[in-house]
Amino acid sequence: MTTHQDPATALPAADPGEIEHAATGRTGAGPWHLAARRLRRNRVALPFGALFLLLVAIALLAPAFGESVAKTGPNTNHLSDTITVRGQERNVVELDGVPIGPQYLAAKGRYMLGADGNGRDVMVRLLYGARNSLFIGLTASLITTVLAVTVGLLAGYYRGPVDAVISRTLDSLWAFPPVLIGVALGVSLALGGLDLGLFQVRGNSLWIPTLIIGVVSVVYLARPIRGQVLSLREKEFVEAARAHGASDLQIMTRELLPNLVSTVLTFLPVLVANAILLEAALSFLGAGVQPPDPSWGTMLANGVNLLITSPHLTIAPGAMLVLTVLSLNVFGDGVRDALDPRSRVKIGT
Amino acid sequence: MGSSPLKRFTAAAVTLGAGLAIAACGGGEDSAEEDAAAGQEATTGASAGGKAMVNYTSFPDYLDPALSYTQEGWNTLSTVYTPLVTFRRAEGAEGAELVPALVQEMPEVSEDGKTYSMTLRERLEYSDGKPVKASDFERSLQRALILQSGGSSFYFDIEGAEEYFEGGKAKGDIRGITADDETGEITIKLKTPNGAFPYILSMPFASVVPGDTPFENQTKNPPPGVGPYRFQNVRQGRGYELVRNENFPEIEGLPEPKLDRIEVEIKKNQRRQVQDVIQNKVDWIVDPPPADQLREVKAEYSDRYEEYVTNSTYYYFMNHRVAPFDNPEVRKAVNYAIDKRALARLFGGLLEPGCNFLPPGMQGYEKIDPCPYGDPNEAPQVDKARQMIKDAGVAGDEVFVYGNGEDPSRPTTEYLADVLNQIGFEAKPRIIEASVYFQTVGNQKTNAQIGFANWFQDFPHPQNFMFLVDPASIQNTNNPNLGNVEDPEIRKALKEASQQPIEEAANRYAEVDRQLIAEAHVAPYGHRKLTNFVSERVDFENCTVTHPVYDLDLTQLCVTE
């Protein structure tokens, strides 16, 4: 038996969408369908969602761009190389260490956004950096979600000592700034990696910052999940399941978990955005993605010393970071509005 | 004798930015004569006295000669304290020449090279007017040892010094030092002959301070010294003033200071420092201009900007005990593949590409020409290196390149990883927090294969570089010989050279230098340049004396009012 108490199903009678829906005589539109319809009609969120998908697509094309257009890899140094720009030969990096600026299309696709201090193509690193940043952001958010839902469910459902232990642990985690914990863990794991018996991660692996971010962000989702479970466990449908002899595990997985989906979906874009930002911060501080692998954070850090002569080194990754986080946040707002029964987004025409 | 590895750490972090920029006035009636005696050009157009403003990026580690072990510290302390012997205040090779400072003549060395005898100058006074006593020297050295100074181990060659250090009791005695306050005679007995000992005596750790100076860090209230200046208004972390010491005696090679007062201000923002020099608010800055301001400074203020090569070496160590660098052919391949022109760019042009391990300003330096791996200013032989790696059967091997997160270590480490990938390895950089980097790679358990290393001199004697590749230096922890170079011929040559005066040993050190490169024990790629950038007030032609040990000589700085 599964009984969903999704917020989207509890539309008040005064909801214009519901009224209009009833008036058209259409039947069978479930809560997810309604939410999807609301989202489709959100003319702000959808373009930003599309922008995010575009960024993902661009990131996926990084190897093709590197090989076919820029003709270099993300970590290949070209310190003493020269390129031909409009018939003129130019150093990729000048003798005083200043790299070439953006060439856009003047160098046949090479150094479109200039070079960095090591003579690496910024455009190629930006795209590969997008892969790394997005991989970490998305994967870390999934880890956060799995962990947060698990501990939130356990704490909220069992209450008592289990709740006390979990909640105090989360409180402790909450007390430390995530960047501080991230730096501490990142620096200490960067050398020796992580060895948990069967599960081993090398120090320079992307999984190190991914796991760190995934774990330190748990508190942000676990708390609201726990609160919601505390409320849900008192509902009639849970009582009914219990009366039918369902075990605790069955109640948690079949009754409570489905009702948490909308909450998770609301939080997910924000979690991804925060994870990307945290990854950038950690990488900027040298505790995230390890050199020479690019990420927007490491690219920002590398560009700071050449801010005046080579602003492209910070502007390009900074702009990507802003666009990605902005697109996720605006799209996340749209998702939240779509799932919110009190949403002011109209469903009808 | 073993040098403490601390200088590598501090100098790597601090000296990179060390330079000097001061503004002052100078040139009294006697200044021309004194300058001539010191090998300086006479000051012209500069007035005597005056005040200059200097900016450091960070406060010196200590304002206590027993403890300070950074370039900023030595830059300042060399103007306030004077050891028994010191360096002539001049540029280039002349500045590396030792002269008797607080003693009448250079120490007399016994035939077996173990006993140094000297006599204190008469009527010497500290800046507070108290007389200098011969016994103050032993007390000053005792302070350094009891305070566990980073330079302590330099003095372990003195009989009883190591025992005194380990005993940790201030009231003890260093039995190898005898001093007679009546006659001013000082005798130092060594356990073994050490050709570099006069240089060790010239280090700031051996500066003479009053015998009643507390055995505590005196940074807040530095003790008086026998230097051209004395401290005034020390504000820890923020700055201090150097005021002319009226009791400074006439010493050949150490001309009187030109400025009456030098204000040292700590300013964290380097860009601001540069702007202040441009606007003549500050007369000299210790650190080179940041990379993105360097081009503007060089282009628009070339009449008051200069670069100079320091006695330093940047190199990659290759661990002889760990594959694949236990194979000499692999080490040679790395040397063939490194593009020193490229590395110079990573230093913003502030690197003199080179093939030697010894820096150009060092005694015993003989330029290795032709360099067996190609001209440092020409393209590397990557194809040849790739073939050598293939022939050695190590292509595809995994290699971790060690470096720390600070410039220029990080970019040079990333560069080397890329080069190793180009010649057939599967290389990845392994970046370690800078504050623990050398401890980490200097620990045998780390098994660091290859990585970034550098060294700035403590004193201008080749022994101070060669201990980095001396098999006798190998230790399990804090190992200064990062590559575990274990060549017995090098050990034998260094042992013999260490017991001779530098004049006799210089050729031997040059031979060791050649052998190091021929056998590819290390992969040196250049020598760091630092800069002097001064305000328009400074008489740039005549008053910026770049000393090979102390960088810009603050005592020679002068300004035109």
Side-chain angles (χ1 to χ4, degrees):
Chain A
M1 181 194 75
T2 303
T3 313
H4 293 182
Q5 182 70 13
D6 193 286
T9 63
L11 294 175
D15 186 294
E18 186 76 354
I19 293 166
E20 192 170 10
H21 176 74
T24 57
R26 282 180 285 165
T27 57
W32 297 111
H33 183 73
L34 290 171
R37 287 177 65 190
R38 282 196 199 95
L39 187 58
R40 276 201 302 273
R41 282 160 177 74
N42 188 329
R43 290 177 185 169
V44 178
L46 269 192
F48 277 95
L51 174 62
F52 179 70
L53 289 178
L54 181 67
L55 291 170
V56 172
I58 287 173
L60 292 173
L61 289 173
F65 179 84
E67 283 173 27
S68 307
V69 183
K71 304 191 188 312
T72 185
N75 302 329
T76 308
N77 289 227
H78 297 281
L79 278 157
S80 302
D81 291 1
T82 55
I83 57 166
T84 305
V85 181
R86 296 190 188 93
Q88 274 191 321
E89 200 160 289
R90 292 188 58 186
N91 287 327
V92 174
V93 179
E94 294 296 341
L95 296 175
D96 60 6
V98 177
I100 195 168
Q103 300 303 304
Y104 306 110
L105 299 175
K108 296 178 181 172
R110 298 191 70 193
Y111 301 103
M112 287 175 76
L113 295 179
D116 70 3
N118 278 57
R120 296 172 295 205
D121 191 313
V122 171
M123 184 67 181
V124 175
R125 284 179 69 76
L126 197 71
L127 298 184
Y128 274 92
R131 289 164 73 92
N132 291 338
S133 294
L134 291 171
F135 168 80
I136 291 172
L138 293 168
T139 313
S141 301
L142 288 177
I143 292 170
T144 300
T145 303
V146 171
L147 291 176
V149 168
T150 304
V151 298
L153 262 176
L154 291 172
Y157 184 77
Y158 285 112
R159 300 184 298 188
V162 175
D163 183 28
V165 170
I166 291 174
S167 293
R168 295 300 80 75
T169 306
L170 293 177
D171 287 345
S172 304
L173 203 57
W174 189 273
F176 291 96
V179 172
L180 196 64
I181 301 178
V183 168
L185 289 172
V187 169
S188 57
L189 295 176
L191 181 59
L194 183 64
D195 187 356
L196 299 174
L198 290 175
F199 186 66
Q200 294 176 336
V201 184
R202 305 188 77 159
N204 56 356
S205 167
L206 286 183
W207 280 99
I208 294 284
T210 304
L211 288 170
I212 291 170
I213 294 167
V215 170
V216 301
S217 304
V218 163
V219 66
Y220 299 106
L221 183 58
R223 281 187 160 208
I225 292 283
R226 170 187 166 273
Q228 197 175 353
V229 173
L230 278 173
S231 165
L232 287 172
R233 75 184 301 284
E234 306 300 336
K235 299 287 184 188
E236 292 81 357
F237 67 92
V238 175
E239 287 295 325
R242 199 171 284 131
H244 277 79
S247 67
D248 289 348
L249 184 63
Q250 285 173 325
I251 292 172
M252 280 191 280
T253 53
R254 294 182 186 176
E255 306 301 330
L256 298 178
L257 193 55
N259 283 291
L260 300 174
V261 172
S262 62
T263 305
V264 169
L265 284 180
T266 304
F267 271 90
L268 198 56
V270 182
L271 277 178
V272 175
N274 282 347
I276 289 172
L277 279 178
L278 185 54
E279 179 278 318
L282 292 180
S283 298
F284 185 85
L285 296 170
V289 174
Q290 293 300 303
D293 291 333
S295 89
W296 295 333
T298 56
M299 292 177 74
L300 278 170
N302 292 348
V304 165
N305 286 341
L306 293 168
L307 201 57
I308 295 176
T309 50
S310 306
H312 63 280
L313 296 179
T314 44
I315 289 174
M320 287 294 275
L321 203 55
V322 168
L323 281 178
T324 306
V325 172
L326 186 68
S327 65
L328 279 166
N329 280 339
V330 175
F331 182 68
D333 285 349
V335 171
R336 187 199 60 207
D337 290 343
L339 292 170
D340 184 350
R342 287 170 293 278
S343 166
R344 298 181 66 183
V345 178
K346 291 187 178 178
I347 291 178
T349 54
Chain B
M1 186 218 77
S3 291
S4 161
L6 183 62
K7 185 64 181 289
R8 192 205 303 265
F9 314 148
T10 52
V14 177
T15 310
L16 292 183
L20 285 177
I22 291 182
C25 294
E29 287 181 1
D30 302 331
S31 65
E33 286 177 27
E34 287 171 2
D35 281 352
Q40 307 298 321
E41 287 186 21
T43 299
T44 55
S47 58
K51 189 177 88 170
M53 168 67 84
V54 168
N55 276 181
Y56 286 5
T57 306
S58 54
F59 197 81
D61 54 345
Y62 300 99
L63 291 184
D64 186 325
L67 294 169
S68 177
Y69 205 177
T70 60
Q71 202 64 29
E72 280 102 336
W74 287 16
N75 179 241
T76 285
L77 293 172
S78 65
T79 69
V80 177
Y81 301 98
T82 310
L84 298 180
V85 295
T86 191
F87 299 101
R88 189 181 288 281
R89 291 201 174 273
E91 292 189 334
E94 206 176 351
E97 184 190 337
L98 286 171
V99 294
L102 300 192
V103 291
Q104 295 173 7
E105 304 286 341
M106 284 300 286
E108 192 176 313
V109 188
S110 64
E111 273 191 25
D112 63 1
K114 292 185 182 176
T115 306
Y116 287 69
S117 307
M118 60 210 99
T119 305
L120 213 57
R121 287 178 191 269
E122 292 176 359
R123 294 183 294 281
L124 280 178
E125 288 180 354
Y126 292 108
S127 56
D128 64 356
K130 289 181 183 169
V132 179
K133 295 184 287 186
S135 59
D136 290 349
F137 168 68
E138 184 178 359
R139 292 295 287 172
S140 301
L141 211 51
Q142 285 176 334
R143 275 191 82 235
L145 295 175
I146 291 294
L147 294 175
Q148 303 202 327
S149 162
S152 298
S153 61
F154 285 112
Y155 301 93
F156 287 173
D157 273 348
I158 300 174
E159 278 186 11
E162 194 167 0
E163 292 84 342
Y164 180 84
F165 174 81
E166 285 169 359
K169 292 178 182 170
K171 288 185 178 175
D173 176 56
I174 303 174
R175 68 173 182 277
I177 301 177
T178 53
D180 186 334
D181 286 343
E182 292 298 316
T183 61
E185 287 176 2
I186 297 170
T187 307
I188 303 170
K189 287 185 179 171
L190 305 183
K191 291 186 283 191
T192 52
N194 183 351
F197 190 71
Y199 293 85
I200 291 169
L201 270 184
S202 73
M203 294 173 79
F205 307 116
S207 297
V208 179
V209 295
D212 58 357
T213 305
F215 279 33
E216 292 170 355
N217 173 13
Q218 294 294 300
T219 296
K220 285 183 185 172
N221 184 23
V226 193
Y229 288 102
R230 61 187 166 84
F231 281 114
Q232 194 175 71
N233 193 21
V234 174
R235 292 153 288 135
Q236 201 162 5
R238 292 186 291 148
Y240 48 87
E241 290 169 26
L242 299 170
V243 181
R244 183 194 286 262
N245 172 16
E246 301 299 339
N247 295 326
F248 183 60
E250 279 187 26
I251 299 174
E252 197 224 328
L254 308 182
E256 279 197 8
K258 292 179 177 171
L259 291 166
D260 286 339
R261 182 182 293 268
I262 298 170
E263 247 178 72
V264 178
E265 185 188 31
I266 311 305
K267 201 177 281 168
K268 303 285 181 197
N269 187 332
Q270 285 180 256
R271 293 180 208 281
R272 174 77 188 279
Q273 290 181 26
V274 172
Q275 285 303 320
D276 284 351
V277 174
I278 289 171
Q279 295 168 14
N280 300 313
K281 293 177 185 170
V282 169
D283 297 303
W284 177 76
I285 50 174
V286 73
D287 288 326
D292 56 359
Q293 282 180 305
L294 199 55
R295 182 175 280 188
E296 179 196 359
V297 170
K298 284 165 108 167
E300 294 183 28
Y301 307 101
S302 59
D303 56 335
R304 46 188 171 118
Y305 170 84
E306 66 177 357
E307 297 173 358
Y308 59 93
V309 181
T310 59
N311 278 344
S312 63
T313 298
Y314 279 74
Y315 63 104
Y316 293 118
F317 70 85
M318 295 176 279
N319 195 335
H320 292 41
R321 292 182 180 176
V322 181
F325 301 105
D326 52 347
N327 183 340
E329 290 304 302
V330 173
R331 298 198 299 267
K332 285 179 185 172
V334 172
N335 272 283
Y336 276 116
I338 291 171
D339 185 349
K340 292 164 185 171
R341 305 164 308 161
L343 285 159
R345 285 167 159 90
L346 291 176
F347 286 73
L350 295 178
L351 182 87
E352 181 72 23
C355 186
N356 292 60
F357 187 65
L358 286 178
M362 183 63 64
Q363 298 183 79
Y365 171 85
E366 286 177 16
K367 187 176 180 182
I368 299 174
D369 191 16
C371 180
Y373 309 107
D375 189 327
N377 291 304
E378 290 183 4
Q381 301 174 51
V382 177
D383 291 339
K384 182 174 185 174
R386 192 180 297 118
Q387 187 60 45
M388 290 172 77
I389 295 299
K390 196 175 172 186
D391 294 344
V394 293
D397 279 13
E398 188 175 55
V399 172
F400 284 104
V401 184
Y402 283 75
N404 66 59
E406 292 186 349
D407 278 351
S409 176
R410 186 193 48 74
T412 54
T413 304
E414 290 183 39
Y415 166 76
L416 180 61
D418 183 45
V419 166
L420 294 181
N421 284 325
Q422 284 179 41
I423 63 176
F425 289 113
E426 291 288 330
K428 279 269 187 186
R430 185 163 274 183
I431 303 297
I432 294 169
E433 164 61 27
S435 61
V436 295
Y437 173 69
F438 284 107
Q439 289 98 321
T440 306
V441 294
N443 189 324
Q444 298 287 4
K445 286 183 182 170
T446 305
N447 277 330
Q449 291 169 292
I450 188 171
F452 167 87
N454 66 348
W455 186 257
F456 284 74
Q457 69 170 9
D458 293 308
F459 47 83
H461 188 288
Q463 193 184 86
N464 189 234
F465 274 78
M466 289 302 183
F467 83 100
L468 299 167
V469 289
D470 188 343
S473 302
I474 294 175
Q475 300 169 178
N476 286 330
T477 56
N478 286 323
N479 182 15
N481 185 345
L482 298 172
N484 290 308
V485 179
E486 292 179 282
D487 190 323
E489 284 183 35
I490 286 180
R491 170 77 282 260
K492 186 174 174 229
L494 290 179
K495 187 177 180 184
E496 288 171 3
S498 72
Q499 297 176 0
Q500 297 174 320
I502 184 60
E503 298 78 20
E504 296 169 28
N507 287 341
R508 202 177 283 262
Y509 283 115
E511 182 54 39
V512 171
D513 198 10
R514 278 190 290 273
Q515 195 175 344
L516 278 172
I517 303 308
E519 300 294 326
H521 288 306
V522 288
Y525 51 84
H527 314 283
R528 185 78 157 118
K529 288 181 188 171
L530 290 180
T531 64
N532 285 323
F533 181 40
V534 298
S535 71
E536 285 176 317
R537 298 197 323 135
V538 173
D539 182 348
F540 191 58
E541 282 297 310
N542 300 303
C543 295
T544 52
V545 175
T546 304
H547 192 269
V549 179
Y550 306 124
D551 293 338
L552 188 79
D553 183 359
L554 294 178
T555 70
Q556 299 303 294
L557 197 69
C558 66
V559 293
T560 49
E561 294 294 351

